[in-house]
Each structure stands twice: as C-alpha cells, then as structure tokens.
Amino acid sequence: MRTRSRAWSATQPRWTPLPSRALRASHGADPYNAGHADYISLDQDQLPRAMKLAALGEDAKSAQQAELRRLWQSLSPDARAQLWTAHKDDLLAAGLFNPSVKQVAPDRGSGKHGVQEPGWGDWWTHMKLGGLVDGADMTGLTDASRHMERYLSNSGDPMKLPVDKMLTDNKGFQAHMDNNHLLAYQKAWREQAIAEFEKNGGRPVAIPVETPSGADYYFTSDPNWYYAVGAARSNVTGVVTAVPGADGKPVVGLEYQVNVWDRYNWDQGKGVNVRGGVHTRR
C-alpha cells in the first residue's frame, strides 16, 4: 500500500524508540580527562552498507531486507536521515515499514492448512460456497467475494489486504486507526523528534516509530468487509523526521503505513446470507 504523510508546524519549536548506539572513544592526549573525549559512532561503518542495501529496493532478498531493517534501527538519527533522504523510495520498496510486532490473528482459526483430506460433505460445501462467490459479486460485496474465492482455491498462501480501500470504505476503521495509532502517539513522537533535532545541532534527524497492535476492529456495520475479514488487528509503522525550516527551527513530519492482518475463517454457528444462497457453519 502507499504510505501516508503528516506534517506539523508551530511558532514554537515545530513539531521516533532508539537503540543505544555502539560507540568507541578516542580521548586525545590526556587519558585522565574524559571530558575531551571525541566519540565516533559506528555510523561510518554501517551507513555505507545500509546505503548499498537500500539501493537494491524491491530486488533485495529476504536476508538483505532483514539486515537493512537491523541497520536502520541501529543507525544514529543523523545517519538515518541521510539514508532516508537518499533512498526513501528504495527503503519502502524493500519493506522497511513491514511491522515487527507479532502478527497474531484475533481468533485461533480452524488449524493448520492441508492436514486433512476433504470428504464428500466438504466438496458439497465447496460447491455451495462457489455459488455464494457469484452472489456476493452481484450484490456489490466484491471484497467478500474475492476473499471467499481465494479461500476456495485452497492454496494456503497469504493474501494481501487492500488496506487503503478498507480505510476509504469504512470511516469507523479510519477513525479507529487515527485515534488509537496516530493521535495517541503524536505528541510523544513530536517531542522526541525535536529533542533529537536539538541534540544533533539543528541538523535533520529521522526516527523509526511503530505502535502496538492494540484492540481488534470489528467490521460489524459493513457487510462487505464483515464477510471479508470479520475482525482484524492492525498497527502503524513509519518514520518521524525533523528538518530545519527557513528560520532554523525544526519542522517535524510523519510518513506512515497502516498494517492490517487477519486469519480467514468462519466461526462455529456463523453464516453468510447473500444472493446465491445461505451457508452456516455447523
């Protein structure tokens, strides 16, 4: 999905968790005067490697993407800003905003895929659900139809959710994300960005942010998405940047991605009623 942007500004200093930087110190001529230490971060070793990996963009292999994400977290805010400025699109293509929180579905589901051979009853159910796919399409439940069709294909492979469409279609879900994953953290992210900007001498900084998955969202008022996912878990990943404005004061912005995940299944006793038939799981 595409990323989204927000920017904050104010007449005050205008409006991401950082690991400890690995440092080595050179204390100069006086080994007893640590106050004159000159600290050199490992950015000088890590940044060139991160630049090289980022340049691969969508061609980066899984191991390279994992290494890039580790480097992104360990770089200083200053070096991270340099990497973001030089390779923003490549970083996004390499999956930089993929969530790191454990993606657990809201419910247990029906078990592992492909562990049991289907019987005649299962084939009959498969035929009935195939009719529901056509009926859902005819009544405008296009996402519910698409998800059911994918389920019936029996591949067991993950399917990408059209998250931008979910946000546009369902204003309640948009409000859920705004209130629980953006507004709830905006003040702290802004303050952290300003603090790092000032610590960096007024030079650009970039800080990664990620919210916990939090409460599930239930699409009970939206038949299309209710039949497509029912309930889903979500979070936000992104980067907060602080750059000097024309007056030298920090201008803080946020680029973020909404992530949503769910396990497709039908709970015992629940059913679907669309043109083409009714099916209830017994």
Side-chain angles (χ1 to χ4, degrees), residues 62-179:
S62 296
Q64 293 169 322
Q65 291 179 2
E67 182 184 359
L68 180 58
R69 286 194 292 271
R70 288 194 299 270
L71 289 170
W72 173 256
Q73 290 290 334
S74 63
L75 288 171
S76 70
D78 186 346
R80 202 180 290 117
Q82 296 178 50
L83 179 61
W84 179 253
T85 300
H87 288 288
K88 171 185 170 181
D89 292 339
D90 293 328
L91 289 166
L92 296 175
L96 184 70
F97 283 0
N98 289 348
S100 65
V101 299
K102 190 173 182 180
Q103 297 182 48
V104 180
D107 46 52
R108 294 187 307 167
S110 56
K112 292 182 178 180
H113 174 263
V115 297
Q116 183 177 335
E117 289 296 323
W120 284 110
D122 298 311
W123 286 114
W124 174 240
T125 298
H126 190 282
M127 290 176 61
K128 288 194 295 182
L129 293 177
L132 291 179
V133 169
D134 296 332
D137 259 339
M138 293 172 63
T139 54
L141 306 180
T142 53
D143 296 290
S145 172
R146 181 170 56 91
H147 289 196
M148 175 64 81
E149 186 173 29
R150 176 61 175 268
Y151 174 68
L152 295 177
S153 73
N154 198 34
S155 70
D157 296 328
M159 179 181 184
K160 281 192 174 183
L161 287 170
V163 179
D164 285 324
K165 186 175 186 299
M166 297 173 75
L167 293 165
T168 301
D169 289 353
N170 194 287
K171 299 306 179 186
F173 182 51
Q174 177 71 73
H176 170 80
M177 297 308 302
D178 285 344
N179 294 330

Side-chain angles (χ1 to χ4, degrees), residues 2-25:
R2 71 176 183 272
T3 59
R4 297 165 178 251
S5 301
R6 291 195 175 190
W8 296 269
S9 62
T11 53
Q12 297 287 328
R14 293 172 272 188
W15 154 249
T16 274
L18 289 176
S20 299
R21 287 166 53 185
L23 301 174
R24 68 174 177 267

